[in-house]
Amino acid sequence: METKLREGKGSVALRKSEPLRIRTELKAIIYLIPFLVPFAVFYLWPVLRGAWMSLHVWGIQGMEKYVAVANYKKIFANSDFYLYLWHSLYFVLLCAPTVIILGLVLALIINQNIWMRTLIRSVFFLPYVLSVSVISFIWLRLFDAKNGPVNAFLHLIGLPGDINWLTDHRFVWWAITIATDWWTVGFVMVLFLAGLQEIPTDQYEAAKIDGANAWKRFLHITLPGLSKVMKIQIFYQIISSLKLFGQVQIMTGGGPGDTTNTMIRYIYVTGFKKDMFGLASAQSMIFCFIMLLIAVIQFKMTDRKDG
Amino acid sequence: MKMRKKFTGLLTAGLTLALVMSGCSSGTKDGGTSSSAGTETPKTENTGSSPVEITFWNMFGGGEGDFVDQIIKGYNDSQKEVTVKQLRLESNEYYAKLSTALSSSKGPDVAVAHVDRISPFVKAKQIVPVDELASKVGFDLNQITESNMKSVTYDSKPYAVPLDTHFHMFYYNKDILKKADLLNEDGTPKLGEMTPEGFEKTLADIHAKVPDVQALAVNTPYFQEPFLNLYYEAGGDILNPDMTKAAINNDKALNVLNFYMDLYKNKYSDLNDKTPWDTFHNGKAAFWFGGVWEAGLLLGDQSLNIGAMPLPPIFGSQTHWASSHTLVIPSYVSPEKQEAAVKFMKYFSEVGGKTWGQAGHVPANSNVTASEEYKSLPYRSEFIEAQKTVKFAPPTDKYTTIITTISESLQNIIFGNETPKDGLANMEKQINEVLDN
């Protein structure tokens, strides 16, 4: 009886709230419009249009003919696609771990009460405010095989011979990684610093009293304390590494050969250099789907850990 | 109270919405005025009281741009009928913008286009033939060198006014050649036998005697240019005569590639040099296949002690790669403005050509190249000689795609990601796919 009554009450309340909810929803939409309108015009519409274009042969003169999924078939039949996709993933494997570890180390150092803390923090953060073209040109000069400071420094510490950083298969990815790490490590560091400041100091004090050494304190207090920030960082770094374009375009032009040609540069060349916009749109749709897939997998994995 | 709060909320939202909407509407209003202005301008032209203003698009930067500025200023000062306003675009995105402009019928009244780029515009009828317009304003197209005129002719009608021919010259550093004992009395190089082996021997001599420089700086970043030069010398073609299939996978191309790979392997040329043009300019290379547009820089400074001659016929013939800047008039331009545009073309070709010749490009107007003024510039007789054997790109509307495919594949070959043989086969397959579409 009692449960029945409660049920009845609940349903009444639900029925009553229905029109109210619609009104609240509507109100929310009105508030969201300043975001939704530009989002739809500058993001959703281009994406939909891209999907539409990907079903056509689309040249420099605009639409030529409808070809259904022929563009997609062509992409999957081309071995270049798999190679450049691998290059993009390879860069994630190189760049994401290095930049996160470096950022964490820097954050830990700067979080200590050291001399000239603000200055050091600024020095490491400064590159992040530069645009990708600026940092690429800086490192293009630095890595110059003949007159570059990097090789000059290596000579100074006694390394014989010149390293052709940007034209040697063995070094070119490292050159790109070093440039990118230098560029973005400041941002990673700042996020970790914010995370470190959230960890209560009494935990460290308690651990010290219990006799935990620095390494154990790091492993059992700092790292778990940073787990939330860490998840965001990994997520962000994977996505931004996948989007690698500016550095390779300027520093290597995808070279030597096509050693550093990434998915984004592949799309760029297909679309803007070869004027095959339909094919390029199809490539973009596929790559977009792959990135979404990676994002979803990551969300699922981190969610499970939280639960 | 609650009612009032709700009301305020709605008001704010409404206000925001109104602001956004007004933002949109002002945008359409702008569009409206600009299009109405577009239709109004011809009316003012008809009265004939004010000069016709035409917009001129180009992609010339740096030194070339200064010469264009001079020509435009000279034209605007020389008469009162037409005013030319120029819009200089970034060369990398120039064609993306120009083709958008042409297909949306909004943009320049006259524009620069490379000869290998006009084919799709002609095919889509986006640019107009210039012969009738030219005769209307008394511009004799017969002044233009025949090979140039032929390069812009489709169905026996010229669709552009060629301004110049540009190609590569064989530049040599006299100081280095002297050290290598390879300089004649008259300051020309001793090149030995004109075969790949003979030329390699010359390079080997330089390499042995002056080891700290490159014997030949090869334009590795834009390897398609040195490749095409020698491939054309060998008698090769990119496409078959009716432009339906690739014709690049053959022994001629293979020999040229092997020749260059040999130079890299023997260290006559440095594969890792990302700025070979600077290397040569700084006196660190004996030879360089450089563009005529580098003439001002390389030949203007006597202290560099650099000379120039047509590319040596290493692979047999003198035929070599060339392109050309042309002026085109879009179809959407009103008849009045078309006439104004062609008057400007006449000036650019007949008078501006003299200025343009100083930039290094060989002017397409034969009256200009025959003038004493032009001939007095350094090494220009060599330039005119070299101009006689140029080969333009095949006039297909797929050329951009094809040349990009070739340049990417060539990079893969010279950096060892593919063997020359596989690379050429791959290139052929890709080009055929492009042509089939």
Side-chain angles (χ1 to χ4, degrees):
Chain A
M1 183 60 209
E2 212 186 59
T3 47
K4 228 182 194 174
L5 194 75
R6 210 180 277 160
E7 259 175 30
K9 252 189 190 167
S11 65
V12 167
L14 212 86
R15 209 176 298 144
K16 248 190 190 166
S17 72
E18 198 72 1
L20 203 98
R21 260 184 60 189
I22 289 180
R23 203 182 292 166
T24 356
E25 296 267 298
L26 261 177
K27 222 166 108 184
I29 286 179
I30 290 173
Y31 279 116
L32 280 172
I33 275 179
F35 166 76
L36 282 179
V37 168
F39 176 77
V41 171
F42 296 109
Y43 189 84
L44 267 188
W45 169 243
V47 168
L48 293 175
R49 177 126 174 116
W52 166 248
M53 276 173 85
S54 72
L55 302 175
H56 296 79
V57 170
W58 202 291
I60 200 163
Q61 314 298 340
M63 202 221 301
E64 280 167 29
K65 63 182 173 207
Y66 175 77
V67 291
V69 291
N71 282 331
Y72 290 90
K73 275 189 196 151
K74 206 185 277 175
I75 293 166
F76 288 120
N78 193 334
S79 61
D80 284 349
F81 166 73
Y82 301 99
L83 182 66
Y84 302 149
L85 185 62
W86 162 241
H87 286 165
S88 282
L89 294 173
Y90 182 68
F91 183 68
V92 173
L93 296 180
L94 278 180
C95 187
T98 51
V99 80
I100 285 171
I101 290 168
L102 274 175
L104 182 59
V105 169
L106 281 177
L108 288 172
I109 293 171
I110 287 167
N111 202 36
Q112 309 300 314
N113 258 329
I114 52 165
W115 186 63
M116 304 245 275
R117 200 169 134 183
T118 323
L119 180 82
I120 295 171
R121 198 164 52 195
S122 320
V123 162
F124 282 108
F125 189 73
L126 220 57
Y128 189 68
V129 304
L130 299 174
S131 76
V132 61
S133 44
V134 174
I135 67 111
S136 302
F137 276 112
I138 290 174
W139 283 96
L140 184 65
R141 301 278 159 195
L142 291 178
F143 279 130
D144 189 290
K146 290 232 156 50
N147 313 309
V150 173
N151 273 353
F153 173 74
L154 291 178
H155 274 297
L156 209 68
I157 59 169
L159 221 80
D162 286 324
I163 293 178
N164 296 307
W165 285 98
L166 299 174
T167 46
D168 191 317
H169 303 258
R170 293 166 296 171
F171 300 108
V172 68
W173 274 117
W174 285 107
I176 302 281
T177 307
I178 290 167
T180 312
D181 281 356
W182 177 78
W183 181 35
T184 51
V185 77
F187 182 65
V188 177
M189 174 192 81
V190 165
L191 284 189
F192 274 133
L193 267 178
L196 283 173
Q197 258 132 48
E198 270 183 17
I199 301 172
T201 43
D202 46 359
Q203 291 186 7
Y204 288 104
E205 279 156 20
K208 251 186 213 167
I209 292 165
D210 288 345
N213 62 20
W215 170 245
K216 281 202 165 141
R217 287 200 300 270
F218 170 74
L219 211 64
H220 297 292
I221 300 172
T222 313
L223 267 190
L226 285 175
S227 75
K228 240 184 215 156
V229 184
M230 185 69 92
K231 271 172 210 161
I232 297 169
Q233 300 264 36
I234 292 174
F235 185 74
Y236 182 79
Q237 287 306 325
I238 288 180
I239 295 294
S240 67
S241 300
L242 276 175
K243 291 199 297 193
L244 174 69
F245 171 71
Q247 296 95 308
V248 290
Q249 175 67 10
I250 294 168
M251 287 169 67
T252 67
D258 60 0
T259 309
T260 55
N261 208 1
T262 61
M263 262 319 278
I264 301 283
R265 192 175 174 276
Y266 185 43
I267 294 167
Y268 163 78
V269 169
T270 312
F272 294 104
K273 291 282 160 193
K274 298 189 180 175
D275 298 336
M276 296 150 105
F277 295 105
L279 195 63
S281 301
Q283 287 168 350
S284 314
M285 297 313 292
I286 294 171
F287 194 52
C288 179
F289 179 74
I290 292 170
M291 298 233 288
L292 279 178
L293 205 70
I294 292 172
V296 168
I297 292 171
Q298 243 185 326
F299 262 127
K300 291 272 174 216
M301 275 166 65
T302 48
D303 258 7
R304 201 177 300 154
K305 267 183 209 156
D306 275 343
Chain B
M1 187 63 205
K2 208 180 171 191
M3 194 58 204
R4 216 176 128 189
K5 210 173 176 184
K6 207 184 277 172
F7 178 72
T8 337
L10 275 172
L11 191 73
T12 335
L15 207 67
T16 323
L17 188 66
L19 279 172
V20 172
M21 297 292 250
S22 73
C24 290
S25 75
S26 81
T28 48
K29 213 186 285 166
D30 273 358
T33 45
S34 77
S35 71
S36 73
T39 48
E40 259 163 38
T41 358
K43 269 183 222 155
T44 46
E45 278 158 28
N46 289 342
T47 61
S49 56
S50 57
V52 182
E53 190 177 283
I54 55 171
T55 314
F56 171 45
W57 279 19
N58 65 68
M59 75 307 245
F60 297 117
E64 290 176 324
D66 296 340
F67 288 112
V68 174
D69 289 345
Q70 270 183 47
I71 295 169
I72 294 172
K73 192 175 177 299
Y75 180 63
N76 284 340
D77 292 348
S78 73
Q79 44 75 48
K80 292 249 170 330
E81 295 171 316
V82 183
T83 318
V84 176
K85 247 178 59 186
Q86 74 164 329
L87 182 62
R88 182 159 292 155
L89 297 156
E90 219 271 306
S91 66
N92 250 331
E93 37 189 71
Y94 181 74
Y95 285 103
K97 295 214 163 127
L98 181 63
S99 51
T100 314
L102 289 177
S103 47
S104 61
S105 296
K106 235 181 234 166
D109 302 307
V110 54
V112 169
H114 281 93
V115 68
D116 29 68
R117 292 286 195 148
I118 61 173
S119 188
F121 304 148
V122 173
K123 195 181 168 198
K125 298 199 167 54
Q126 289 172 337
I127 55 175
V128 294
V130 292
D131 48 348
E132 279 166 27
L133 282 167
S135 57
K136 221 184 204 172
V137 301
F139 177 21
D140 182 11
L141 289 177
N142 290 327
Q143 309 170 62
I144 312 265
T145 312
E146 211 188 319
S147 61
N148 284 105
M149 221 53 226
K150 218 181 116 204
S151 70
V152 295
T153 301
Y154 291 82
D155 288 331
S156 65
K157 271 199 172 295
Y159 278 81
V161 172
L163 295 178
D164 63 45
T165 314
H166 52 268
F167 45 84
H168 294 104
M169 294 292 292
F170 185 66
Y171 291 96
Y172 48 91
N173 184 314
K174 294 179 196 170
D175 293 336
I176 297 176
L177 291 182
K178 199 162 194 175
K179 274 190 217 161
D181 228 0
L182 286 168
L183 201 68
N184 290 319
E185 291 291 305
D186 62 347
T188 54
K190 288 182 200 165
L191 284 178
E193 199 192 331
M194 270 307 121
T195 57
E197 297 75 31
F199 190 67
E200 265 189 63
K201 207 183 147 287
T202 311
L203 296 181
D205 277 357
I206 298 171
H207 185 65
K209 286 177 186 152
V210 198
D212 55 337
V213 301
Q214 293 182 51
L216 170 69
V218 176
N219 195 348
T220 314
Y222 299 92
F223 186 72
Q224 66 276 16
E225 293 177 2
F227 169 77
L228 282 181
N229 274 324
L230 294 192
Y231 179 56
Y232 284 166
E233 274 194 0
D237 268 304
I238 297 176
L239 304 177
N240 66 356
D242 49 357
M243 299 190 296
T244 50
K245 286 270 169 252
I248 204 161
N249 187 12
N250 54 41
D251 282 347
K252 290 170 194 158
L254 197 62
N255 290 340
V256 171
L257 283 175
N258 284 331
F259 168 74
Y260 278 118
M261 305 283 276
D262 245 24
L263 302 192
Y264 290 131
K265 200 177 72 199
N266 295 327
K267 305 277 176 222
Y268 305 154
S269 308
D270 182 3
L271 180 64
N272 298 305
D273 191 350
K274 286 178 80 93
T275 49
W277 44 88
D278 284 343
T279 306
F280 182 74
H281 183 220
N282 296 334
K284 293 284 178 203
F287 297 132
W288 164 239
F289 295 178
V292 285
W293 54 91
E294 293 168 61
L297 182 71
L298 296 176
L299 303 174
D301 186 352
Q302 293 297 322
S303 68
L304 292 175
N305 217 359
I306 287 171
M309 60 181 273
L311 294 182
I314 303 167
F315 275 81
S317 80
Q318 291 272 12
T319 315
H320 56 121
W321 171 91
S323 182
S324 153
H325 291 113
T326 74
L327 290 178
V328 296
I329 303 176
S331 320
Y332 57 76
V333 177
S334 68
E336 289 90 345
K337 287 199 175 190
Q338 285 190 1
E339 204 175 306
V342 89
K343 280 179 192 158
F344 173 59
M345 288 173 161
K346 178 176 151 76
Y347 178 88
F348 204 130
S349 176
E350 292 175 353
V351 186
K354 287 173 192 154
T355 315
W356 197 228
Q358 292 169 26
H361 312 78
V362 178
N365 193 315
S366 53
N367 292 346
V368 175
T369 46
S371 70
E372 285 307 315
E373 196 182 335
Y374 178 75
K375 282 183 190 159
S376 66
L377 292 165
Y379 290 95
R380 288 317 193 268
S381 56
E382 300 280 338
F383 284 24
I384 294 172
E385 200 51 41
Q387 201 244 338
K388 287 176 183 159
T389 52
V390 297
K391 180 169 181 143
F392 291 112
T396 161
D397 55 323
K398 303 262 173 62
Y399 186 69
T400 324
T401 316
I402 293 170
I403 195 68
T404 312
T405 307
I406 292 176
S407 54
E408 298 246 311
S409 296
L410 285 172
Q411 290 295 323
N412 260 341
I413 294 170
I414 55 174
F415 280 100
N417 291 3
E418 266 180 321
T419 63
K421 225 182 162 113
D422 293 347
L424 286 171
N426 205 344
M427 223 186 281
E428 181 185 37
K429 197 180 126 221
Q430 287 186 54
I431 294 172
N432 283 341
E433 261 172 36
V434 169
L435 289 169
D436 283 343
N437 257 321

